[in-house]
Amino acid sequence: MGSMSLMHWLIVGVLVILLFGGSRFSNMMGDVAKGIKQFKKGMAEDDEEKPVPPTRIEGKPAPTPDASFQTEAERTREER
C-alpha cells in the first residue's frame, strides 16, 4: 500500500508526457544532458590547469674569513 507498483509509475509517466507534451519533455531532457556535459567539461578544465612549480630557495655561500679573523680557539692555541 505504501509503495507504488509498476502500473502506478506508468500512469504517472503518461500524465507527465500529456501535461508537458512530447517535444517539450524531450527538450527538457536535452537541456539536462547539455548541462551535465558542460559540468563535466568544466571539471576537466580544472584538472588540466598547469600545476604551480615548487619554488626553489637558493642558499647563499658562507662568507670567507679574512686573514685577520681568528676564532677564540685559535687564539688560545697560539698563546700556549
Side-chain angles (χ1 to χ4, degrees):
M1 199 168 174
S3 65
M4 296 181 74
S5 68
L6 179 63
M7 195 62 162
H8 288 107
W9 285 113
L10 290 174
I11 293 171
V12 169
V14 169
L15 289 175
V16 167
I17 290 175
L18 288 174
L19 288 174
F20 291 113
S23 63
R24 189 170 178 190
F25 186 72
S26 68
N27 288 342
M28 285 191 322
M29 289 293 105
D31 291 341
V32 169
K34 287 178 187 176
I36 291 172
K37 285 180 185 178
Q38 289 295 328
F39 177 76
K40 286 182 180 179
K41 184 178 178 182
M43 293 301 287
E45 288 175 357
D46 289 344
D47 293 340
E48 291 176 2
E49 288 181 7
K50 295 180 181 178
V52 178
T55 56
R56 184 173 177 180
I57 300 173
E58 298 289 333
K60 295 180 181 177
T64 55
D66 352 352
S68 63
F69 178 75
Q70 286 184 343
T71 63
E72 192 171 330
E74 290 174 342
R75 278 188 241 131
T76 32
R77 244 188 258 145
E78 289 175 1
E79 289 176 3
R80 289 185 186 181

